[in-house]
Amino acid sequence: MPVLAPPKAKLLDFISCKALAKRGLTEQTCKLYEYGTTTHNGQAVQVATYRDQKGAPIAQHLRYVDKKFRWIGDTSNVQLWGQHLWRQGHGGGTNMFVVVTEGEIDALSVSQVQGNKFPVVSLPNGAQSARKYLAGNLKWLSQFSRIVLCFDSDEPGIAAAEDAMNVLPLGKVAICRLPRKDANEMLMAGEGEKLRDLLWKATPVRPDGIVNAADLWDELIRPGATAVCDYPWPMLNAMTRGFRKGEMVTLTAGSGTGKSSICRELTYHFLKAGLRVGGINLEESLQRTLQGIVGIHLNKPIHLDPTLATREEIKAAFDQLLGTGRLFLYDHFGSMDPDRLIEQIRYLADVEQVDVVFLDHLTIVVSGIADLDERRALDVTCTKLRQVVEQTGIGLILVSHLKRPEGRGHEEGAQTSLSQLRGSHAIAQLSDLVCGAERNQQGDVAERSELQLRLLKNRFSGQTGPVDRLVYDQDTGRLVVPMSHYFGT
């Protein structure tokens, strides 16, 4: 494994780009990628300079004579190596493809056999880094009509290429199978033309999803999805059999009912259970989200009155709950492009390895789409959300608004139903679980504090109907199940 130096380590200067005769690489190829040689701590090294997402040099990968490697600089946000050379739309045409290799020497070899005219990039840390860096640079890779993975032909390389198929766009990815260990071995063996032919003939895998039922015995007896965590409220937990990854859960209620409060309680509960959580809150500032979650930990509504806790108490709660690095928040307010939303969710799933993502709320996502009406935009967005859940295996909890019913409104405690989901039947059809929340905001003090949860759809167990009745505790800022609810009084 490469040794990571301190992030602020100074990058090396005076790098000489010469031909690497022992590798069969020309000076022209090395100069194009700025791959050169210098000395570091008195030793000769080969140097590959990596850039950040804006193209600025931030890190260098050093290769020593004894084939040991070392990083200097900041590797936290690097592009694929060589990515800056191939601007978006480079070369034109609809048949453009990009080749991704495991290492810099192989990238140079592949580029050279193609006359240094076609995009070739390399993974920063070999096969084991494939999923992370391919997902992190997915937007750039997706512009190409074909993505050819040219990894080493050893067991780790083959496994990494197969795994990468789950990250990259379906129908675009091809795996180039090499007869030798890697691309540079083929170049050194005088098989450059054969390597080029293999690259150009690599065919994208397009699974049609059709299987013969006679081959599905193992699927029949495979254990079903099991809960990774319970829900914080007993009746909801009993009727759903807990929270499972790979499911899409919709929370719906009238405006101002308390949907965001429910999401914060669930976020806190999942964090305490050890899950990794992503939050995309499009109508709430980062500060409000943090105040809500830390306030739950303190059992004090510090968003209403910060003086309810000392700075030391807030800092201790912050460190205990969020210092674990398991909560990831998206810094954005207002509407956003659905494709951009999917990119963010994929990143959270593939790179940050979150277990569950909260999206609050669905309606605002589509509010900025000018060329589609709301119903159609919701249909398209829900389908994409369902796809990303299936492909990544995360749990997704999304908030959806309701359309106004006839007569008594939801703000006055009207009962929720699937038919009232705003804008699109796709929300109900594609969700595994739909939970409504009901509260009479115009009632007396007791009514205004009570929030009734109702299962509107439950694909896993089929059980639906009213579940827990939550009460908002003014002193703690928490949604709790009153003791009377446990004893049926």
Side-chain angles (χ1 to χ4, degrees), residues 248-251 259 280-283 334-336 338 341-342 345 358-369 374-375 377-385 396-401 421-424 426-428 430-431:
M248 191 164 88
V249 177
T250 296
L251 173 64
K259 298 183 293 295
I280 302 176
N281 305 311
L282 301 178
E283 280 193 329
S335 63
M336 67 183 300
L341 169 66
I342 299 302
I345 295 176
F358 286 82
L359 171 59
D360 185 4
H361 56 84
L362 179 61
T363 310
I364 198 171
V365 173
V366 303
S367 62
I369 303 178
E374 184 181 80
R375 185 198 62 76
L378 284 170
D379 281 347
V380 172
T381 304
C382 284
T383 300
K384 291 181 177 181
L385 289 171
L396 175 65
I397 298 180
L398 61 90
V399 173
S400 176
H401 284 178
L421 285 167
R422 179 169 167 178
S424 172
I427 301 172
L430 297 176
S431 296

Side-chain angles (χ1 to χ4, degrees), residues 280 330 336 339-349:
I280 302 176
Y330 183 43
M336 67 183 300
D339 289 332
R340 177 64 174 162
L341 169 66
I342 299 302
E343 286 178 9
Q344 299 302 319
I345 295 176
R346 281 191 177 278
Y347 174 84
L348 289 169

Side-chain angles (χ1 to χ4, degrees), residues 460-471:
F460 187 77
S461 72
Q463 292 180 281
T464 57
V467 282
D468 302 273
R469 177 170 54 87
L470 309 179
V471 173

Side-chain angles (χ1 to χ4, degrees), residues 38-228:
T38 188
T39 58
H40 181 250
N41 295 335
Q43 298 184 62
V45 292
Q46 294 177 2
V47 183
T49 299
Y50 281 74
R51 298 170 183 262
D52 63 18
Q53 298 300 322
K54 296 181 179 179
I58 57 169
Q60 288 174 328
H61 199 198
L62 310 185
R63 180 190 179 100
Y64 292 82
V65 176
D66 57 4
K67 293 186 179 181
K68 290 185 178 179
F69 295 88
R70 181 181 178 85
W71 281 99
I72 60 174
D74 181 2
T75 63
S76 62
N77 191 35
V78 294
Q79 293 180 332
L80 299 169
W81 186 65
Q83 182 174 321
H84 70 287
L85 297 173
W86 314 103
R87 63 188 182 277
Q88 188 163 345
H90 179 91
T94 58
N95 295 319
M96 277 297 295
F97 71 92
V98 60
V99 179
V100 183
T101 68
E102 275 193 42
E104 298 99 0
I105 295 295
D106 288 330
L108 295 171
S109 303
V110 170
S111 180
Q112 184 167 297
V113 301
Q114 298 184 100
N116 295 320
K117 295 179 180 178
F118 298 96
V120 183
V121 293
S122 169
L123 300 169
N125 275 324
Q128 72 271 16
S129 70
R131 175 179 278 266
K132 175 179 178 180
Y133 288 103
L134 292 176
N137 293 279
L138 182 60
K139 185 175 182 179
W140 182 81
L141 290 166
S142 296
Q143 70 178 296
F144 296 97
S145 61
R146 193 152 49 103
I147 303 167
V148 179
L149 304 179
C150 186
F151 294 177
D152 291 0
S153 58
D154 56 14
E155 186 174 335
I158 294 170
E162 296 288 350
D163 182 57
M165 301 286 291
N166 299 317
V167 178
L168 297 169
L170 291 175
K172 284 190 174 186
V173 192
I175 297 177
C176 182
R177 311 285 184 180
L178 300 179
R180 296 184 181 272
K181 178 183 177 296
D182 55 37
N184 186 250
E185 274 200 8
M186 294 193 68
L187 177 67
M188 293 294 295
E191 297 173 349
E193 189 171 329
K194 182 177 181 180
L195 172 60
R196 183 174 63 248
D197 192 51
L198 289 171
L199 292 167
W200 282 79
K201 288 182 177 178
T203 304
V205 177
R206 295 185 174 88
D208 59 11
I210 303 300
V211 294
N212 191 321
D215 300 323
L216 297 180
W217 167 249
D218 289 338
E219 181 65 20
L220 174 63
I221 62 174
R222 180 177 61 86
T226 56
V228 295

Side-chain angles (χ1 to χ4, degrees), residues 254-258 410-413 439-444 447-448:
S255 179
T257 299
H410 296 111
E411 293 75 14
E412 297 174 328
R439 180 168 74 92
N440 184 2
Q441 302 171 43
Q442 305 303 316
D444 58 27
E447 280 189 296
R448 293 199 301 269

Side-chain angles (χ1 to χ4, degrees), residues 279-296:
I280 302 176
N281 305 311
L282 301 178
E283 280 193 329
E284 185 173 270
S285 67
L286 293 179
Q287 183 186 52
R288 178 64 185 91
T289 301
L290 294 170
Q291 286 175 336
I293 296 172
V294 172
I296 290 173

